[in-house]
Amino acid sequence: MNPNQALWEKGDFTRIAESMRESGEALVQRLGIKQGLKVLDLGCGDGTTALPAAKLGAEVLGVDIARNLVEAGNKRANEHGLTNCTFQEGDASNLHQLPDRTFDLVVSIFGAMFAPNPLKVAKEKVRVTRPGGRIVMGNWIPNDPTLVAQILKISSSYTPPPPEGFISPMTWGVESQVIERFAGAGVPAERISFSRDTFTFNYPMAPSAFVEEFRKYYGPTMNAFEAAEKNGRAADLQQELEDLFNSQNKSGRKDSTSIPATFLLVTVAL
């Protein structure tokens, strides 16, 4: 199996996505989506941004490499009565099933950044976007002090070194790298803009319980705990994550969790 597919099918990302719904909807509200806009949501998970876009009247296709998330997305769309929102399996670095110049807006919020070949991802996004359309990415930022960057940094310190040639998904959070990748797809730097934005994770229980969700259901953290257990360091990893979640909890209560995380918002105008 594709290692990236194995990573995201390993757990159940819907459990984490539940904590991201409010911020996903708020982000989509800022994208200027109108009735009939053709939207591709790439690395869509179970529809945290795809469903809100469809509710605004867009024709939305969600593509994800994880079959369990595609199934969950179609189920959610059906439950919401959204006949204008469908999900299918696909690889962000090879969208061979999608024709050129099809979409008015290609969105990928913490999705395509995890595909292993970023140059191919940039080319495929540009290929399927129509002239005059837009590409919008949300990417975590390397070494950022906020939640997800730190989860991934901590997790990587407990796992074996990646294979030779591995390109960290966090490099999508570096502006110069983004510019270089889209340049390889024929997009000049002046067509790319950047801003810092915030995604808030809201969970109705204590931070320590939220850590458990990541331990049981989030692929990168699951791998880190498996490696840590083999080395007798699982308790250390647990403590590091609990300290992180507790220190960043802004809910003002010990029995609920609200953690803002900074990300790089990328907009490409074609």
Side-chain angles (χ1 to χ4, degrees):
M1 183 189 286
N2 178 317
N4 197 42
Q5 186 176 40
L7 175 68
W8 296 107
E9 289 187 357
K10 181 169 191 160
D12 181 5
F13 185 73
T14 65
R15 300 289 293 252
I16 308 300
E18 285 289 340
S19 69
M20 304 170 72
R21 303 291 190 218
E22 291 170 38
S23 282
E25 190 168 331
L27 175 58
V28 169
Q29 292 285 344
R30 301 195 294 272
L31 295 180
I33 290 173
K34 296 181 174 66
Q35 190 79 24
L37 201 75
K38 288 187 181 300
V39 175
L40 170 65
D41 192 331
L42 198 51
C44 58
D46 67 346
T48 296
T49 47
L51 264 68
K55 287 177 181 178
L56 291 173
E59 296 290 328
V60 183
L61 174 64
V63 171
D64 201 282
I65 200 164
R67 291 164 295 187
N68 56 328
L69 298 180
V70 169
E71 184 181 342
N74 278 319
K75 184 179 179 210
R76 289 187 68 225
N78 186 54
E79 287 170 351
H80 286 263
L82 294 169
T83 56
N84 56 331
C85 186
T86 57
F87 295 77
Q88 67 185 46
E89 182 188 344
D91 185 336
S93 58
N94 182 11
L95 298 169
H96 59 88
Q97 73 275 41
L98 302 181
D100 297 358
R101 303 181 172 193
T102 302
F103 298 95
D104 302 301
L105 174 63
V106 174
V107 177
S108 187
I109 308 301
F110 322 128
M113 66 174 286
F114 289 99
N117 193 320
L119 292 174
K120 286 185 178 177
V121 168
K123 285 180 179 176
E124 284 292 80
K125 285 183 175 182
V126 171
R127 179 183 69 77
V128 300
T129 307
R130 68 164 183 79
R134 284 178 298 151
I135 299 166
V136 175
M137 288 187 83
N139 302 324
W140 302 120
I141 302 166
N143 299 314
D144 186 83
T146 57
L147 186 71
V148 182
Q150 290 301 309
I151 291 173
L152 294 170
K153 185 178 181 181
I154 291 167
S155 297
S156 69
S157 71
Y158 286 83
T159 50
E164 190 175 345
F166 174 78
I167 300 171
S168 168
M170 301 301 285
T171 54
W172 272 111
V174 179
E175 293 182 15
S176 59
Q177 295 273 357
V178 175
I179 290 169
E180 185 178 306
R181 288 162 188 177
F182 281 108
V187 180
E190 59 267 22
R191 308 291 292 177
I192 306 169
S193 59
F194 302 95
S195 62
R196 293 289 195 276
D197 209 330
T198 302
F199 224 82
T200 300
F201 292 80
N202 291 313
Y203 185 71
M205 294 176 72
S208 59
F210 198 25
V211 171
E212 281 303 304
E213 294 286 292
F214 276 85
R215 180 172 184 162
K216 292 177 181 174
Y217 302 113
Y218 185 62
T221 327
M222 293 169 73
N223 284 346
F225 271 103
E226 285 175 14
E229 280 162 6
K230 288 177 185 172
N231 299 322
R233 299 183 64 208
D236 296 338
L237 174 54
Q238 179 83 23
Q239 190 62 56
E240 273 201 71
L241 290 174
E242 286 194 16
D243 289 347
L244 172 69
F245 281 55
N246 280 307
S247 68
Q248 299 208 0
N249 183 22
K250 307 296 183 190
S251 75
R253 297 169 52 182
K254 292 183 178 178
D255 62 349
S256 69
T257 306
S258 182
I259 303 179
T262 304
F263 69 95
L264 182 69
L265 186 65
V266 180
T267 304
V268 182
L270 295 182

